[in-house]
Amino acid sequence: MALSRADNSILGRWWWTVDRWTLAALMVLIAFGYVMMLAASPAVAERIGASSRHMFFLKQVFYLGLAAAVMVVVSLLSPRGVRRFALLGCAGALVLTAATLVVGVEIKGARRWLPIPGLSLQPSEFLKPFFAVVAAWLIAEGMAPGSRVWGRAIAIGLFAVIAVIMKSQPDIGMLLVMTAVLFAQFVVAGLNFFIVGGLAVLGAGVGVLAYLLFPHVQSRVHRFLDPNSGDSYQVSVAMEAFANGGLLGRGPGEGRVKNVLPDAHADFVFAVAGEEFGMVVCLVILALFAFVVLRGLMRLLAETDFFVVLAATGLLTQFGLQAFVNMASTLHLIPTKGMTLPFVSYGGSSVLAIALGMGMLLALTRKRIGERAASTGLPSGALAAGGAR
């Protein structure tokens, strides 16, 4: 459908103001998700004893289609709408995440999921993007000239509450991602470099403490440093898959790793792509993630709304870091961590949560002339001062 620049409808204004390049890259990643489900789901469904291989695949098709729709709908919001949506979403996700400690389903020693018919809901996945936007709003409010809001202190307090819940589940990987998001936002907000160094040392100390306190963290580090020290089956098989795939891959449906790798459709879906489609396609997937992150950061260079800068920084940090952790752990560059590849891995909660985050990113980075001051609820002078920080 052709849309004229003179079209003043909601869809017309959205089409000419949204970042269509980023939108296209995200849609291509969703398309890769469809392809990888076609490649991996039949074998995985048969191995885990799913009642219907077709339903297993169709369920993810539904999630990916819903994710694309959610991303577009959320991208229609104004910055003020994004802020309100994130506040409500963060409150709801926080309550549901805390509820997992009481009524959650325990899988592999962790309570992260709520039993909902047809879906194992992981509320912490939704907490990530909502917290990034709420923290950005609090920091921006606190730094506005004449503001009496202790925004940074409230953001840190909210993070502390989330950290306690995450540690209790436990979900250290998710906690590390949210820590990186908040840290990136404080750095962009002008955090003193001496404090940055101190926090880096503190972060290293927390990592050592996690190694000492959590046996599963200790085991993963040992297996990374010395594969012979424990069960490194999944990583070894994944590396063999990349070697078998070579440059152009064995061909669609010809891979063998999906028949033997327990998490071939989720945490190790990148290995399936490497075996069946080769290094070239893996590099394309990597380039798409890099393009979304770099394109988003480049668009922020001309942004004057401090809230938008901080919120987009948090969302891009979360998106890029999650993709990096998944691909790097599959390639044995870092210790393994159960984290999905955005839009490509199987999982309803993960796919929908990422769609919400990217929808808010597209909404925040839309071109708006003369609307930014009104949309954030801050005086234009405050925005200028915030953007100069």
Side-chain angles (χ1 to χ4, degrees), residues 222-233:
H222 287 171
R223 284 179 288 164
F224 171 72
L225 297 175
D226 181 13
N228 296 323
S229 64
D231 182 13
S232 58
Y233 173 75

Side-chain angles (χ1 to χ4, degrees), residues 140 143-145 187-191 300-307 309-310 379-389:
M143 296 185 68
V187 170
V188 172
L191 189 65
L300 294 180
L301 294 177
E303 182 60 60
T304 59
D305 188 328
F306 197 38
F307 160 68
V309 171
L310 292 178
S380 57
L383 295 176
R389 282 187 174 87

Side-chain angles (χ1 to χ4, degrees), residues 54-268:
H54 296 294
M55 286 303 298
F56 187 81
F57 169 72
L58 291 176
K59 183 185 291 186
Q60 187 65 6
V61 168
F62 171 76
Y63 289 145
L64 289 170
L66 182 60
V70 166
M71 186 168 62
V72 171
V73 170
V74 174
S75 70
L76 294 169
L77 295 174
S78 66
R80 175 179 291 181
V82 169
R83 185 183 65 190
R84 292 174 175 173
F85 178 56
L87 282 170
L88 292 173
C90 186
L94 184 59
V95 171
L96 292 176
T97 302
T100 60
L101 303 178
V102 181
V103 296
V105 177
E106 184 172 333
I107 301 176
K108 297 181 181 179
R111 285 185 174 272
R112 306 171 190 169
W113 299 269
L114 291 176
I116 296 177
L119 173 68
S120 293
L121 181 68
Q122 186 176 354
S124 57
E125 288 281 1
F126 297 91
L127 191 57
K128 284 189 302 182
F130 289 137
F131 171 74
V133 176
V134 170
W137 172 65
L138 289 170
I139 296 170
E141 282 284 340
M143 296 185 68
S147 174
R148 297 183 179 181
V149 178
W150 291 6
R152 284 176 287 188
I154 298 174
I156 293 173
L158 177 60
F159 171 77
V161 173
I162 293 172
V164 171
I165 298 174
M166 293 288 187
K167 186 264 178 188
S168 301
Q169 286 185 326
D171 194 347
I172 304 303
M174 190 80 72
L175 178 58
L176 290 177
V177 171
M178 298 183 73
T179 303
V181 168
L182 187 62
F183 181 73
Q185 290 175 325
F186 272 117
V187 170
V188 172
L191 189 65
N192 186 286
F193 279 106
F194 289 104
I195 299 178
V196 171
L199 290 175
V201 173
L202 178 62
V206 170
V208 172
L209 190 63
Y211 170 80
L212 296 174
L213 293 179
F214 298 102
H216 70 283
V217 175
Q218 194 173 107
S219 174
R220 285 175 177 174
V221 173
H222 287 171
R223 284 179 288 164
F224 171 72
L225 297 175
D226 181 13
N228 296 323
S229 64
D231 182 13
S232 58
Y233 173 75
Q234 295 206 92
V235 174
S236 299
V237 172
M239 295 303 293
E240 290 178 8
F242 286 113
N244 293 334
L247 187 64
L248 300 176
R250 300 170 63 96
E254 299 298 323
R256 299 176 181 176
V257 65
K258 60 193 177 187
N259 297 315
V260 296
L261 202 58
D263 294 324
H265 62 314
D267 299 344
F268 286 87

Side-chain angles (χ1 to χ4, degrees), residues 241-332:
F242 286 113
N244 293 334
L247 187 64
L248 300 176
R250 300 170 63 96
E254 299 298 323
R256 299 176 181 176
V257 65
K258 60 193 177 187
N259 297 315
V260 296
L261 202 58
D263 294 324
H265 62 314
D267 299 344
F268 286 87
V269 71
F270 197 55
V272 179
E275 184 179 32
E276 298 201 359
F277 302 102
M279 186 181 71
V280 172
V281 170
C282 287
L283 290 176
V284 170
I285 295 174
L286 175 63
L288 286 169
F289 284 112
F291 175 81
V292 171
V293 174
L294 294 176
R295 172 83 176 178
L297 293 175
M298 291 294 291
R299 286 179 70 87
L300 294 180
L301 294 177
E303 182 60 60
T304 59
D305 188 328
F306 197 38
F307 160 68
V308 170
V309 171
L310 292 178
T313 297
L315 293 170
L316 289 168
T317 299
Q318 171 196 312
F319 182 77
L321 184 59
Q322 183 168 335
F324 167 78
V325 169
N326 178 279
M327 291 185 285
S329 60
T330 304
L331 290 165
H332 198 52

